[in-house]
Amino acid sequence: MTIVAEFAAPVSRLWEAYADPRQLERFWGPVGWPATVTRHDMYPGGITNYYMSGPEGEISRGYWEFLKVDPGHSFEVLDGFALEDGAPNREAPSMRMVFEFSETAAGSRLDMTTHFSSLEELKSLVEQGMEEGTASAMSQMDAVITDLRSYAAEMPASIALVGDTQARVSRIIHGSVDQVWAAHHEPSRLKRWNLGPDGWALVVADMAEEVGSQYRFEWEPTTAEGERFGFEGELLEINAPYREVTTENMIGMAGPPARNELTLTPVADGTLLTLHITYPSAELREMVIGTGMVDGMEIGYQRLEREVLAA
């Protein structure tokens, strides 16, 4: 099954609508079934997890497994239904989808071709409304693509609440994926920008070198008032330079850790940084966000662009 759509926008803008989970979730679900994207790793072997919410409270979960990615031109995924924990539902049908982006005289064109495992699966999914649902979802794309302000590269770090205990921080960093990754993983670079509030310094940056190892960061005041503090945790997963998953606990604070999923995605203006945080409780999420966390992160990202990437 092939669906073709043309847009009065450049290819780079159309591509970003699929590369950015904030934008993807605004159109991937049909009208009345909005999507929430909880993971979006756009590189070969990467995974996207999402769920669509129906008007009566129904939940339909799905996943993408990225098979090929040619940034700005095409990507190919295995698309299927997912279980509650995001794992593929192997008892449900899956399909291979190819997305191809090309220039036109008026803007851009998307060719989306879906390959089914059998004629019977194709007929079954079409009877369930797949064709109409896809067309309904894509009818929302114009509004997303023409919304330049919400996703502009000059926008500061923003946060969105996801589910009951999760939050997603997003920011386009003006640098390549390799540069942004190095700035997060080389202690000498990290200490130049991840300083916390003005008047503080990162004095301990013990990095986790492999899965299962520990990291530890500590800050202390230089000119400001306050006491030394820090965070520690375990490296759970790493796929340089695109994805890293760690736990995080404030040093000296008891209780289960938060889970941080950092994803870096190349876009036209640099690198889209997405930090997906799962907190142990909704109360802790509210407390942490209320400290001005995102404003502090934005100060750090500005310093990263100014002191590290522009140096």
Side-chain angles (χ1 to χ4, degrees):
M1 183 174 72
T2 299
I3 295 178
V4 177
E6 296 188 354
F7 301 92
V11 169
S12 60
R13 182 69 192 91
L14 181 58
W15 176 269
E16 283 192 13
Y18 281 89
D20 186 341
R22 299 172 298 174
Q23 300 181 53
L24 179 63
E25 64 187 11
R26 285 185 56 189
F27 67 82
W28 185 245
V31 175
W33 283 78
T36 299
V37 178
T38 58
R39 175 177 176 179
H40 191 49
D41 304 330
M42 199 177 195
Y43 57 83
I47 299 293
T48 292
N49 290 126
Y50 66 90
Y51 62 88
M52 295 181 290
S53 304
E56 303 299 326
E58 310 97 318
I59 296 292
S60 177
R61 301 182 185 276
Y63 75 94
W64 287 353
E65 178 185 344
F66 285 90
L67 305 176
K68 299 178 182 177
V69 179
D70 182 6
H73 301 286
S74 66
F75 67 89
E76 182 177 335
V77 298
L78 184 66
D79 175 273
F81 296 93
L83 302 173
E84 188 170 354
D85 63 357
N89 183 352
R90 301 301 183 188
E91 297 182 359
S94 62
M95 59 213 83
R96 182 170 58 88
M97 303 180 72
V98 180
F99 298 75
E100 298 176 294
F101 302 78
S102 57
E103 292 184 4
T104 66
S108 56
R109 166 176 165 148
L110 169 65
D111 289 77
M112 184 173 68
T113 306
T114 304
H115 302 264
F116 300 87
S117 300
S118 66
L119 179 61
E120 290 71 24
E121 284 192 1
L122 184 154
K123 290 180 177 179
S124 174
L125 289 168
V126 168
E127 288 173 359
Q128 294 175 43
M130 178 180 175
E131 185 177 1
E132 293 82 359
T134 303
S136 174
M138 295 185 71
S139 72
Q140 304 167 103
M141 290 182 64
D142 280 318
V144 178
I145 292 171
T146 56
D147 183 0
L148 301 178
R149 182 178 178 82
S150 298
Y151 310 106
E154 293 74 26
M155 293 293 290
S158 62
I159 189 167
L161 303 185
V162 182
D164 296 328
T165 64
Q166 300 172 322
R168 182 178 64 218
V169 179
S170 304
R171 192 358 171 119
I172 292 179
I173 308 293
H174 294 281
S176 70
V177 167
D178 287 332
Q179 288 175 318
V180 177
W181 180 269
H184 280 78
H185 293 85
E186 295 180 11
S188 61
R189 299 191 188 197
L190 194 64
K191 289 181 178 181
R192 291 169 57 190
W193 70 269
N194 194 4
L195 309 181
D198 290 338
W200 290 76
L202 177 62
V203 293
V204 175
D206 295 334
M207 312 301 295
E209 300 295 337
E210 57 187 20
V211 172
S213 61
Q214 303 290 313
Y215 72 89
R216 185 182 182 96
F217 300 145
E218 294 184 36
W219 290 263
E220 68 178 18
T222 53
T223 60
E225 294 184 359
E227 298 181 356
R228 187 163 173 159
F229 73 96
F231 295 92
E232 59 187 357
E234 179 183 350
L235 177 60
L236 301 179
E237 179 185 334
I238 188 168
N239 190 336
Y242 301 109
R243 175 175 167 84
E244 179 182 63
V245 183
T246 59
T247 63
E248 181 182 272
N249 259 122
M250 193 168 196
I251 296 172
M253 180 177 290
R259 175 185 170 95
N260 295 337
E261 300 178 51
L262 174 69
T263 301
L264 303 181
T265 305
V267 293
D269 292 306
T271 296
L272 173 64
L273 180 151
T274 304
L275 179 63
H276 193 95
I277 309 169
T278 302
Y279 293 94
S281 67
E283 293 75 19
L284 182 60
R285 179 181 71 175
E286 184 176 332
M287 182 186 75
V288 172
I289 293 174
T291 64
M293 175 189 77
V294 181
D295 292 337
M297 294 175 72
E298 173 59 23
I299 292 172
Y301 294 144
Q302 291 179 15
R303 194 182 290 121
L304 165 61
E305 291 179 327
R306 182 178 65 249
E307 304 293 339
V308 180
L309 300 182

